[in-house]
């Protein structure tokens, strides 16, 4: 069994991004991201902190806009409109989930698709559906998982891949990106009958649900590649959605939690900021 070391691959990707940022700065362009954080969701605070640290590592500038929990959809959209027009801002990131009084789809729709470094806007998701060549600003976690698999030379084409979870952030876009790479993809979710019958077929099993130990050893095909996207806090410890101790006896490759998918997400966000910055500034010059 081999560990898929997301921390190491993410560090290499960050080093590459830092070099790209250096070249941009030398030509007079300073990449800059705007964060919007609404409320004080503890996990969101921690994710934003990690993203800010990655900006510091890669010399991407950032500014932080904190809104109270009670803010209205309109107040957030007003700031986004301002940021859409500012030439010094190349990426806009609204940390999700938003408080229930806010209409998340309207907020995402308000972001200029060219500054949508999370890849959540319908324009970017729609383009991604066409084929691999039209993927550009794609959601960071799916992008990170594909880079991780590619780095370890794990084949995707023709593979039996089971995705557990159908969120707009991970499960749905990742299923589409794997289909773009000619995988045979099954997407399972909480309404799936007999989850185990599906997971047992998986040559690559990807789990993004948010339930500790949802996947136990008996649900894993011997030799499978396991990608665990879950981040759950149990007794003060971070664990994934896969029972790691049981899974490591069956898997050929497995991502640890922490140190697997999480760092890849953050590194891909930095890469997306550079992609957006280059495209925006080429157009302006
Ligand atoms: N919440 C969980 N994952 C993400 C992500 O990738 N981006 C944003 N903006 N919010 C998230």
């Amino acid at each position: 069994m081999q560990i898929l070391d997301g921390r190491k691959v993410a560090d290499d990707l960050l080093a590459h991004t830092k070099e790209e940022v250096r070249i941009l700065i030398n030509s007079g362009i300073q990449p800059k991201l705007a964060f919007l954080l609404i409320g004080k969701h503890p996990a969101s605070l921690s994710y934003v902190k990690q993203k800010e640290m990655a900006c510091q590592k890669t010399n991407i500038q950032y500014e932080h806009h904190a809104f109270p929990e009670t803010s209205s959809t309109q107040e957030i959209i007003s700031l986004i409109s301002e940021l859409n027009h500012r030439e010094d801002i190349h990426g806009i990131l609204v940390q999700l989930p938003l408080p229930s009084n806010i209409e998340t789809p309207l907020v995402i729709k308000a972001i200029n698709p060219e500054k949508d470094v999370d890849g959540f806007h319908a324009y970017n998701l729609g383009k991604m559906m066409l084929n691999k060549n039209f993927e550009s600003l794609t959601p960071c976690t799916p992008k990170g998982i594909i880079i991780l698999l590619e780095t370890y030379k794990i084949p995707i084409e023709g593979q039996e891949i089971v995705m557990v979870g159908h969120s707009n952030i991970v499960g749905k876009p990742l299923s589409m990106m794997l289909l773009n790479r000619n995988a045979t993809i099954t997407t399972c979710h909480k309404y799936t009958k007999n989850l185990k019958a599906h997971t047992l077929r998986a040559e690559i099993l990807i789990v993004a649900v948010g339930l500790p130990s949802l996947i136990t050893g008996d649900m894993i095909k011997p030799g499978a590649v396991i990608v665990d996207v879950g981040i759950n806090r149990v007794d003060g410890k971070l664990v994934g959605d896969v029972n790691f101790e049981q899974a490591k006896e069956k898997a050929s490759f497995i991502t640890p939690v922490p140190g697997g998918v999480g760092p890849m997400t953050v590194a891909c966000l930095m890469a997306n900021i550079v992609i957006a910055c280059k495209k925006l500034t080429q157009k302006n010059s």
Side-chain angles (χ1 to χ4, degrees):
M1 193 275 304
Q2 208 185 328
I3 293 285
L4 294 170
D5 188 349
R7 214 164 258 151
K8 158 110 188 40
V9 179
D11 279 346
D12 292 348
L13 186 54
L14 285 173
H16 177 74
T17 300
K18 184 179 178 181
E19 177 57 17
E20 294 211 86
V21 171
R22 190 187 65 79
I23 294 165
L24 281 166
I25 292 173
N26 278 348
S27 65
I29 297 160
Q30 170 61 63
K32 186 166 182 184
L33 172 69
F35 285 103
L36 278 74
L37 181 63
I38 297 99
K40 289 196 162 60
H41 195 276
S44 291
L45 287 171
S46 151
Y47 295 148
V48 167
K49 188 109 225 120
Q50 287 171 33
K51 292 171 187 177
E52 286 176 350
M53 272 160 40
C55 284
Q56 289 165 12
K57 265 193 200 166
T58 50
N59 297 322
I60 292 172
Q61 274 190 2
Y62 60 91
E63 61 184 40
H64 192 102
H65 299 270
F67 284 82
E69 185 93 24
T70 50
S71 306
S72 68
T73 303
Q74 200 45 54
E75 282 171 292
I76 296 160
I77 290 178
S78 294
L79 174 65
I80 291 175
S81 305
E82 232 176 83
L83 296 167
N84 282 343
H85 288 105
R86 271 178 52 189
E87 275 193 20
D88 63 322
I89 295 290
H90 310 100
I92 301 171
L93 182 145
V94 181
Q95 187 63 32
L96 303 179
L98 298 180
S100 56
N101 57 309
I102 292 169
E103 294 190 70
T104 303
L106 295 184
V107 170
I108 292 172
K109 188 179 167 194
I111 300 171
N112 173 356
E114 293 180 306
K115 298 189 179 185
D116 169 39
V117 288
D118 260 326
F120 293 162
H121 192 286
Y123 175 80
N124 288 317
L125 290 171
K127 221 154 64 80
M128 180 192 84
M129 274 206 48
L130 297 172
N131 70 50
K132 204 172 115 175
N133 301 330
F134 285 86
E135 294 175 3
S136 82
L137 291 177
T138 56
C140 304
T141 302
K143 186 190 247 191
I145 291 169
I146 286 173
I147 293 174
L148 194 56
L149 294 172
E150 285 174 351
T151 303
Y152 282 88
K153 307 212 172 342
I154 293 167
I156 294 174
E157 188 163 84
Q159 293 302 102
E160 199 69 58
I161 305 187
V162 174
M163 172 76 235
V164 186
H166 71 332
S167 70
N168 286 340
I169 292 179
V170 184
K172 275 196 253 178
L174 181 52
S175 296
M176 192 52 65
M177 288 170 78
L178 293 167
L179 190 56
N180 282 346
R181 288 158 182 78
N182 302 320
T184 301
I185 170 91
T186 305
T187 309
C188 300
H189 42 75
K190 65 181 172 194
Y191 301 100
T192 297
K193 295 177 206 154
N194 199 355
L195 178 62
K196 183 175 169 179
H198 293 285
T199 61
L200 269 176
R201 285 190 295 106
E203 292 168 311
I204 303 176
L205 176 61
I206 309 174
V207 193
V209 174
L211 282 176
S213 271
L214 173 70
I215 304 298
T216 45
D218 59 311
M219 298 169 80
I220 296 169
K221 183 184 171 88
V225 175
I226 311 284
V227 178
D228 190 350
V229 189
I231 302 176
N232 311 291
R233 200 169 278 280
V234 176
D235 301 329
K237 217 179 127 214
L238 286 186
V239 297
D241 293 347
V242 177
N243 184 315
F244 187 85
E245 288 309 309
Q246 294 177 12
K248 75 180 194 332
E249 303 301 323
K250 291 273 189 76
S252 57
F253 291 89
I254 186 165
T255 59
V257 178
V261 175
M264 291 302 298
T265 298
V266 177
C268 286
L269 173 67
M270 301 303 119
N272 273 356
I273 297 165
V274 167
I275 292 172
C277 179
K278 281 185 183 166
K279 215 158 177 198
L280 283 159
T281 51
Q282 272 166 14
K283 211 170 63 174
N284 290 343
S285 59

